[in-house]
Amino acid sequence: MKRSDLVNYLNDFLNVDQYKDYAPNGLQVEGVEKVYTIVTGVTACQALIDEAIKVKADAILVHHGYFWKNEPLPIVGVKQKRIKSLLVNDINLLGYHLPLDGHAEVGNNAQLGMLWQLEDITPEPGLLRLGRLQEVMTISAFKQLVSDSLGREVLHLPGGRELVQTIAWCSGGAQHYITEAAVWGADVYISGEVSEQTTHLAKELSVHYFSAGHHATECLGIQRLGEHLSERFKLMHYHIDIANPV
């Protein structure tokens, strides 16, 4: 399909105009005009670009692209090497940050809710989500469920009761939403990263906190987006997971 058609479809599908973001959403580096093969991954690191070159990708779709607010403007060092690799190989780079977190179907948060089989009871629109387990679980059993589903041991900061059912979550570096999660009545709040003060907040707000990994909580959305494009437009799709313990 034409690059312009792909970009226009994604911008519309992901409702990019609804978000005030920290980086440009959409086409970030222009490559070949016709797109037949796409690679998806969480971050547009050199390792992902190298793998995309191997499979002769025409476009790379990522959650974490380039040109973040307040980052240095000169294209030197690591940034120069990455962008040069894209340009020399005529590969398009498309990045979708907050729009991919928040999308109701393919979004990171929507995919996590489905992964944990949560009934969505979110009281108001936004990135933070609230859900209910089908049945009450012990906190240790729920921790094991989340760890198994993401393939990593989550960090548990205790704060709540032993039996849990109401779960709030937001992918990535959204540990600051723990206060809002407590206001919503969550027994557990899950995000990707953790800060020093989160330990104290969890105890004082009586909410268990799981730090489940920034990368781990943001793998599902970009993979599902690639599958969606492959199904709709018959594009060849490779999802390439560049492992990251953070």
Side-chain angles (χ1 to χ4, degrees):
M1 66 185 302
K2 292 175 62 176
R3 176 188 60 238
S4 58
D5 291 340
L6 175 63
V7 173
N8 289 338
Y9 175 80
L10 284 169
N11 289 349
D12 181 64
F13 179 67
L14 296 173
N15 304 306
V16 298
D17 292 338
Q18 295 184 13
Y19 294 87
K20 185 177 181 181
D21 215 332
Y22 313 104
N25 288 293
L27 183 64
Q28 294 187 345
V29 178
E30 186 176 281
V32 66
E33 183 178 356
K34 292 293 184 69
V35 175
Y36 302 99
T37 301
I38 58 173
V39 159
T40 56
V42 175
T43 299
C45 61
Q46 189 65 51
L48 181 67
I49 296 170
D50 291 343
E51 291 300 316
I53 293 170
K54 289 179 183 177
V55 300
K56 302 185 186 306
D58 303 305
I60 302 174
L61 276 67
V62 294
H63 184 49
H64 300 140
Y66 302 154
F67 312 115
W68 296 92
K69 183 178 179 181
N70 297 326
E71 78 172 21
L73 293 177
I75 300 175
V76 298
V78 167
K79 184 190 288 188
Q80 186 270 353
K81 183 180 178 183
R82 291 174 174 180
I83 293 176
K84 181 179 179 180
S85 297
L86 293 168
L87 293 174
V88 167
N89 291 280
D90 221 6
I91 299 175
N92 295 283
L93 176 69
L94 294 87
Y96 293 95
H97 186 230
L98 295 183
L100 186 60
D101 287 320
H103 194 270
E105 177 188 345
V106 304
N108 288 317
N109 291 321
Q111 292 292 308
L112 289 172
M114 287 186 273
L115 182 68
W116 299 326
Q117 297 184 331
L118 297 172
E119 176 193 359
D120 196 326
I121 56 172
T122 306
E124 59 187 57
L127 296 177
L128 181 63
R129 306 292 284 271
L130 187 71
R132 184 184 290 115
L133 290 165
Q134 295 177 4
E135 57 184 32
V136 174
M137 300 180 69
T138 64
I139 186 62
S140 59
F142 182 61
K143 177 188 175 184
Q144 193 62 52
L145 183 154
V146 174
S147 296
D148 290 347
S149 69
L150 296 178
R152 57 173 289 141
E153 186 72 15
V154 304
L155 173 65
H156 175 205
L157 303 181
R161 55 189 182 179
E162 175 63 19
L163 297 178
V164 301
Q165 188 171 25
T166 305
I167 314 299
W169 72 99
C170 186
S171 66
Q175 58 268 38
H176 60 283
Y177 280 138
I178 188 172
T179 301
E180 191 170 344
V183 171
W184 284 1
D187 300 316
V188 182
Y189 176 54
I190 307 171
S191 190
E193 297 187 12
V194 65
S195 299
E196 186 274 341
Q197 64 266 30
T198 314
T199 298
H200 308 297
L201 288 171
K203 291 179 180 178
E204 294 170 35
L205 293 168
S206 298
V207 176
H208 293 285
Y209 180 73
F210 290 174
S211 174
H214 195 134
H215 178 86
T217 58
E218 295 188 333
C219 286
L220 296 175
I222 196 68
Q223 181 174 3
R224 182 66 192 105
L225 180 60
E227 291 168 351
H228 170 81
L229 293 172
S230 178
E231 293 161 2
R232 184 176 181 87
F233 299 110
K234 309 305 180 186
L235 299 173
M236 179 68 71
H237 169 229
Y238 299 93
H239 177 69
I240 298 175
D241 183 34
I242 305 299
N244 189 332
V246 175

